[in-house]
Amino acid sequence: MAKKREPPSIKGYPRTFDPNFKGPVAKSKVSSQVHSCSSRGIEIRITNRSCTDVLCCIIFILFIIAYILLGLVAWVHGDPRRVAYPTDSKGHFCGQKGTPNENKTILFYFNLFSCTSPSVVVNLQCPTTQICVSKCPEKFLTYMEIQFMYRTNKHYWMYYSQFCKSPFVKPAKTVTQVLLDDDCPIAIFPSKPFLQRCFPDFTTKNGTLTVGNKTIFEDGSGKKRNAIELRRAANRVNKILDARAIGMKVFEDYATTWYWILIGLTIAMLLSWLFVILLRFTAGFLFWVFMVGVIGIIGYGIWHCYQEHSNLQGRPNSHLTIYDIGFQTDISMYFQLKQTWFAFMIILCLLEVFIILMLIFLRERIRISIALLKEGSKAIGYLPTTLIYPVLTFIFLSICIAYWAVTAIYLATSGVPIYKVISPERTCKHENTTCNPEIFNTTEIARVCPGAQCNFAFYGGKSLYHQYVPTFQMFNLFVFLWLINFIIALGQCALAGAFASYYWALKKPDDIPQYPVFTAFGRAIRYHTGSLAFGSLILALIQMFKLVLEYLDHRLKEAQNNISKFLQCCLKCCFWCLEKMVKFFNRNAYVMIAIYGKNFCRSARDAFNLLMRNVLKVAVMDKVTDFVLILGKILVAGCIGVLAFLLFTHRLPVMIEGPTSLNYYWVPLLTVIIGSYLVAHGFFSVYAMCIDTIFICFCEDLERNDGSREKPYFIAPTLHGTLNKMQLVPLKQKE
């Protein structure tokens, strides 16, 4: 049995828990360090803390200063217009005000057949001339056709010449000369703007792919082409165009249902708040409401999947498998398959069985969880400001995310236009070398590589700053991860300090200090910034290694063999487990920091040793309570999700009229479900931190005190009585 520590409540010691109190002193010497509780006249000593992990605090502050300086430097060199506006082959912005291209907002490609990959198109590195135009072509025309039409009607040339580099009086050049000089496209096709770029207007008629109602057309060089070849030339442009159509439909659905989504999230917030309040008075009853509600919602999902599966019986193509239809951008096609609904039904059945088995085998331990929930609800009831703290965390996180995104954009757009030699046939030995577009036609490269072009590639430079832009991007990402983890750690430490002040108050709520959340937050910032930065640094390093592994896996995917893939999966699994373990230890270390005010390493060690000495209690009390809170989140999200499903599918016409003519009802439905879960997570995360803090304090209470009058337990009598029955605490307090 662990040795009992010196009690904090004997004569000369403060009645509330004070781990840093070093012994009884005369009242005259501590008059400036105490405040009195008017209801009892008990002097409660304010803990004298010192700054912890000062070196890490200094490093953290230096990193923040460097991060701010990096943002300022990126702001000076970067130009976000390079992201907002397309750039032609000369590096000029399309649609920029105050320039000759002000009214030319769309990028046009001379020969789209040269673009063999959509990533090349989007990244503006397609080996063809690109110019800014005011509108996309609307008809089929070739340069040879224009030469004949010009003789009878000059209007055709006026229309065609707007897609040339510079205006010409007449089409006097031959096709060969036009190809060599690259002054005009040899053919134009009906196109539509997408992402401010002209893409072919693909349509399907009776299962046949067409472009501008044509399946076969000339490419201007005397060859016959068809729509399939044009799509193959930009082999994934079709997916981009399909994504455009889906994106427009999704946008329409959001525009129609945005107020219903806000109403659903508001109801989720009120429901979460109501659950937190009711848990204080009816924790046992509400727990079984959680259980029945979750089981009922999953049961409804099973029944709905069965109904959909039955309704698809006999329908054509419903017997196909997901493998048969492959990847489809139209997600609704998957819902026309029996296999999809059968898979959903199996998953929900397994989840239902798992929850029921957990309830059966953990029925005794659930009684302890209910007692902990009641105690946590009582603590939150005395400290209601803790429910507002997640809003502060959300604001801090939003600021960090916005700063990181803006800095990344400015870094990515830093530099001057860089031009590269691009050859359509990919045979030029000077391919990808830097060039100057102003004098390119007079250089040796133009004579050695006929048809080669000097096109804009990206933004960069040869200065020291531009050479280290990739390094700055890595630094930007790393500090972002560090700050995100620090903000979360600060919230956990502040809440732990507030809930610890509740637990160690002998007479509640009289002995609870005023403004406990504000006081704990200020104490964490003033004394323990270094410790919180230390813990968040460890987590940020692990997350950075994970991102590097993901990046390497993405870049080397095609070159990997089975052994390297296996090792890659093992590394990912190890880092995932390591991250979860570090998060668990950090969370408990922050609780010990909030209570004792020690540095991070000592707090983490003490928390680990304390939990290992009470490993049975951890399994019985803490983790079962986490399971209960997860079910509470599922219940909130499930209730709102069922209501949203009935509303968006028009199954509540008698009660309320929902939105009509939705393209994809699952888009606002998933938004409501995920948003409701996040809202519930914000409220229940405070609850989880409260339970974890009370659990740590409870374990410490059992080791410090023995229940005698000199060393009484600080645990609530109701929770003490429940734990007696499970023999997790001494059966009775000593006289």
Side-chain angles (χ1 to χ4, degrees), residues 119-357:
S119 61
V120 172
V121 176
V122 175
N123 292 329
L124 308 178
Q125 296 179 11
C126 182
T128 186
T129 301
Q130 305 152 29
I131 64 172
C132 300
V133 296
S134 57
K135 63 178 180 180
C136 295
E138 300 172 348
K139 59 183 72 175
F140 284 103
L141 283 175
T142 65
Y143 185 80
M144 295 179 62
E145 292 174 345
I146 286 297
Q147 287 183 311
F148 289 106
M149 295 178 180
Y150 176 76
R151 301 171 184 174
T152 58
N153 191 342
K154 297 183 179 181
H155 174 74
Y156 288 103
W157 173 246
M158 294 177 60
Y159 176 79
Y160 195 90
S161 63
Q162 65 181 322
F163 303 107
C164 297
K165 283 184 179 179
S166 57
F168 295 92
V169 178
K170 57 181 180 180
K173 293 184 178 182
T174 63
V175 174
T176 304
Q177 190 65 34
V178 168
L179 287 173
L180 290 176
D181 296 341
D182 206 28
D183 290 325
C184 296
I186 58 175
I188 58 175
F189 316 109
S191 306
K192 287 185 178 181
F194 174 57
L195 297 176
Q196 294 181 276
R197 293 161 176 82
C198 291
F199 286 115
D201 184 16
F202 290 111
T203 56
T204 303
K205 288 190 175 182
N206 299 324
T208 303
L209 183 68
T210 64
V211 178
N213 297 323
K214 286 187 177 182
T215 56
I216 300 177
F217 47 87
E218 291 189 5
D219 64 356
S221 61
K223 296 181 180 179
K224 291 287 186 180
R225 302 274 192 168
N226 57 44
I228 297 177
E229 289 181 90
L230 184 59
R231 173 173 283 185
R232 189 181 299 119
N235 54 358
R236 294 180 183 176
V237 171
N238 175 49
K239 293 183 179 180
I240 297 176
L241 297 175
D242 288 343
R244 174 191 64 179
I246 292 178
M248 292 299 297
K249 292 179 180 179
V250 169
F251 179 79
E252 292 173 359
D253 290 342
Y254 277 127
T256 304
T257 61
W258 65 269
Y259 53 92
W260 290 108
I261 294 175
L262 290 180
I263 292 174
L265 297 181
T266 303
I267 295 175
M269 181 186 69
L270 296 176
L271 190 61
S272 301
W273 215 325
L274 180 64
F275 281 163
V276 170
I277 294 174
L278 291 179
L279 278 172
R280 181 180 179 183
F281 305 102
T282 58
F285 172 77
L286 205 59
F287 167 79
W288 292 112
V289 170
F290 282 179
M291 299 301 101
V292 175
V294 170
I295 293 174
I297 289 173
I298 297 176
Y300 174 80
I302 296 173
W303 176 82
H304 179 74
C305 292
Y306 174 77
Q307 289 292 109
E308 293 291 340
H309 183 273
S310 301
N311 294 336
L312 290 175
Q313 292 285 353
R315 291 190 182 182
N317 299 326
S318 64
H319 64 282
L320 296 176
T321 64
I322 297 176
Y323 178 80
D324 292 333
I325 66 174
F327 175 76
Q328 299 291 330
T329 53
D330 187 3
I331 301 179
S332 61
M333 294 185 62
Y334 296 108
F335 295 114
Q336 306 301 320
L337 305 178
K338 293 192 297 182
Q339 186 188 59
T340 303
W341 293 106
F342 184 76
F344 285 159
M345 184 171 62
I346 294 299
I347 293 173
L348 291 177
C349 287
L350 292 176
L351 183 60
E352 186 91 326
V353 172
F354 172 77
I355 293 177
I356 292 175
L357 291 177

Side-chain angles (χ1 to χ4, degrees), residues 69-70 135 139 241 264 283 302 355 395 466 545 551 571 593 626 695 729:
L69 293 177
L70 176 63
K135 63 178 180 180
K139 59 183 72 175
L241 297 175
I302 296 173
I355 293 177
I395 294 173
H466 295 109
F545 278 119
Y551 175 76
L571 284 175
I593 290 172
D626 289 342
F695 177 75
V729 296

Side-chain angles (χ1 to χ4, degrees), residues 660-729:
T660 57
S661 66
L662 289 178
N663 297 298
Y664 307 113
Y665 74 86
W666 51 266
V667 171
L669 176 62
L670 287 179
T671 304
V672 170
I673 293 176
I674 296 174
S676 299
Y677 184 86
L678 293 177
V679 170
H681 177 74
F683 281 91
F684 285 102
S685 63
V686 176
Y687 222 111
M689 198 66 214
C690 176
I691 297 299
D692 289 346
T693 304
I694 290 177
F695 177 75
I696 291 287
C697 294
F698 159 72
C699 294
E700 189 72 13
D701 190 13
L702 293 184
E703 293 191 355
R704 280 183 168 272
N705 305 303
D706 57 8
S708 64
R709 291 183 178 181
E710 291 78 15
K711 295 186 291 183
Y713 289 127
F714 286 80
I715 187 174
T718 54
L719 181 59
H720 185 274
T722 303
L723 297 178
N724 275 342
K725 298 178 181 179
M726 295 293 294
Q727 297 183 356
L728 294 176
V729 296

Side-chain angles (χ1 to χ4, degrees), residues 71 73-80 82 405-415 465 473:
V73 173
W75 181 77
V76 172
H77 290 85
D79 190 351
R82 297 166 183 171
V406 171
T407 303
I409 291 174
Y410 272 90
L411 284 173
T413 56
S414 297
Y465 167 78
Q473 287 283 23

